[in-house]
Amino acid sequence: KISIKRNQEGKSYVDGINKVDIDVEDKAAGLAQLEAVMVAAARARSVATTKMNAQSSRSHSVFMLHLCGSNEESGTIVEGALNLCDLAGSERLDRSGAGSDHKRLKETQAINKSLSSLGDVFTSLANGSKHIPFRNSKLTYLLQDCLSGDGKALMFVNLSPTIESSNESLCSLRFAQRVNAVELGKATKHVQYSSKQGSGRR
């Protein structure tokens, strides 16, 4: 099972997975490495056929790109992370037919529960609550850095154009409305200094 933990600096990470270094000197080699990572991740993602979708994502997917830049003259080192999260869509069991399969049913329940937890986080952020329920799901716990004072977030909501899916589209729009009410504020810039300039962080 995947375990989400916090490191000594208070950042979220997934315990037990590999971090792959991408070649930034050789562009062709770096892109090939990146493509290999994406292919491996796509193979690992659970996908199944339902009555609503021939290739239904049965899990969320989070791609984390850790970046580090340095300035040799000033000795400053800047670090950051880009998280690309593809959320599996919420499902109605009567339409997807997932309720007839025990495995698909558990997947649907897990997806809907994590999306509900994400909605609770957005509501708490929009209301300026002192306690934000990031720990209520692995998804929100992993995305805590993106949705707190350390980062910025951008969300795209995909809608189905069919009349049959109007109820799901309306729910998605309401979810987007909750997200739109959130103001994360100014992102925090993390700067380190090389040993030549002395150590520190601001």
Side-chain angles (χ1 to χ4, degrees), residues 5-136:
K5 296 183 178 181
R6 307 284 286 180
N7 62 21
Q8 293 180 345
E9 298 179 344
K11 301 295 182 181
S12 297
Y13 72 97
V14 183
D15 188 36
I17 65 171
N18 297 322
K19 183 183 290 186
V20 179
D21 291 328
I22 302 299
D23 192 335
V24 295
E25 301 294 337
D26 187 329
K27 183 177 179 181
L31 288 175
Q33 291 171 326
L34 187 59
E35 183 178 2
V37 171
M38 298 296 286
V39 169
R43 285 200 302 263
R45 190 174 190 183
S46 178
V47 178
T49 300
T50 67
K51 291 182 179 180
M52 293 182 64
N53 197 336
Q55 290 186 319
S56 175
S57 300
R58 312 310 301 167
S59 64
H60 306 305
S61 176
V62 180
F63 173 77
M64 305 180 75
L65 178 63
H66 296 271
L67 303 168
C68 181
S70 61
N71 186 316
E72 293 183 356
E73 293 184 0
S74 63
T76 57
I77 301 172
V78 180
E79 297 180 352
L82 174 67
N83 295 273
L84 302 177
C85 184
D86 181 17
L87 299 175
S90 60
E91 286 185 353
R92 290 172 54 188
L93 293 175
D94 57 337
R95 292 199 63 203
S96 67
S100 59
D101 185 303
H102 180 67
K103 182 179 180 180
R104 300 284 90 85
L105 174 61
K106 290 188 66 176
E107 290 170 343
T108 299
Q109 291 172 336
I111 290 170
N112 290 346
K113 181 180 179 181
S114 61
L115 290 176
S116 178
S117 296
L118 184 60
D120 292 339
V121 165
F122 284 131
T123 298
S124 296
L125 288 171
N127 293 336
S129 302
K130 293 183 178 180
H131 171 70
I132 311 297
F134 287 116
R135 290 178 175 267
N136 283 5

